[in-house]
Every structure is written in structure tokens, then in C-alpha cells.
Amino acid sequence: MVVERQRRARSMAGSHSHWRPPRSCDVYWSEFKHCKSLFNRFHEYYSYGRAPDCQQWKEDFYTCKEWEKNHSTQAKESLQESERKRVAEQRKFTPVWELRQTPPADWHLPLNQGKPQDS
């Protein structure tokens, strides 16, 4: 019983060493540099009417470096929370097209390649 508890304690203590950030630290830095690029800033301003906020990529880079250096639990939780927010942000957009539940009724008919298309 005591041996089993010690084994569990060792495996729990060592579980931090097996965890890795969802992305490598270099990816966070690359995303930050891309976000700050002139091309991306122009694109964001043109598309959404505002400049992009790149601060979270920079914070995640430094948090990732902190994790690599000290294996801090706070850094691990911060990176996990940041990635959860990113995923939630991506899921809140609705698709552009409605997905079909069934194929169209005339799906098996040949295409009208010889006839001019209505415009």
C-alpha cells in the first residue's frame, strides 16, 4: 500500500516533465512576428477596420520560455488557457454556406455543358 502511494506520488511529480506546450515556443514567436508585419496589419485593417492585437502571442512566447526553463505550473496553466480561448474564438464563427443533409434531387443527371448558362 505504501509502495503504491509512493509510485503514484512519483508519477504525479514527473507528469510535469512529460507535458509539452501545444505549440513550440518558436511558433509563438513566428505568429507574433507575422501579426506585427506590415502586410498582416494592412490586411486586418482592410478586412476588419482595426489593427490586430498581437500582445497575446508575445505573452505566450515568454510563458512558453518560462515553461521550458522552470516547468512552472502557472506557465503551463496559462498556455493551456490561452489555447482554449483561441479554439473558442475560432468556433464562434458560423460557416459561410449551409451544409447539406442530403444530395440534390437531380444529382445523377448529366451536366448541361452544351447549353449557355443563365447569368
Side-chain angles (χ1 to χ4, degrees):
M1 184 79 165
V2 174
V3 173
E4 183 63 30
R5 258 190 262 151
Q6 288 174 348
R7 189 178 324 151
R8 279 190 207 150
R10 267 187 263 132
S11 69
M12 288 175 68
S15 67
H16 289 300
S17 63
H18 296 297
W19 184 82
R20 292 185 329 173
R23 308 167 192 239
S24 76
C25 297
D26 293 337
V27 171
Y28 289 115
W29 188 251
S30 295
E31 288 287 347
F32 172 69
K33 296 300 279 182
H34 170 72
C35 186
K36 295 297 270 183
S37 72
L38 183 61
F39 175 79
N40 188 57
R41 293 171 77 72
F42 179 76
H43 173 73
E44 286 275 328
Y45 189 77
Y46 181 79
S47 299
Y48 306 110
R50 58 179 167 70
D53 181 23
C54 305
Q55 193 59 33
Q56 189 61 46
W57 289 114
K58 189 175 186 180
E59 289 174 15
D60 288 346
F61 170 73
Y62 288 120
T63 304
C64 185
K65 287 297 187 183
E66 169 72 21
W67 164 256
E68 284 183 346
K69 186 176 182 181
N70 300 327
H71 291 285
S72 125
T73 305
Q74 183 180 4
K76 174 183 174 182
E77 291 170 359
S78 176
L79 282 172
Q80 288 174 333
E81 183 62 29
S82 177
E83 289 294 329
R84 281 188 200 107
K85 284 180 185 176
R86 275 193 195 96
V87 169
E89 185 74 22
Q90 289 172 349
R91 288 185 180 166
K92 79 177 188 180
F93 294 108
T94 56
V96 176
W97 294 281
E98 283 187 42
L99 299 177
R100 293 183 190 160
Q101 301 302 321
T102 59
D106 61 348
W107 69 271
H108 63 285
L109 298 175
L111 297 175
N112 297 332
Q113 293 177 357
K115 297 181 181 178
Q117 298 246 343
D118 294 339
S119 35

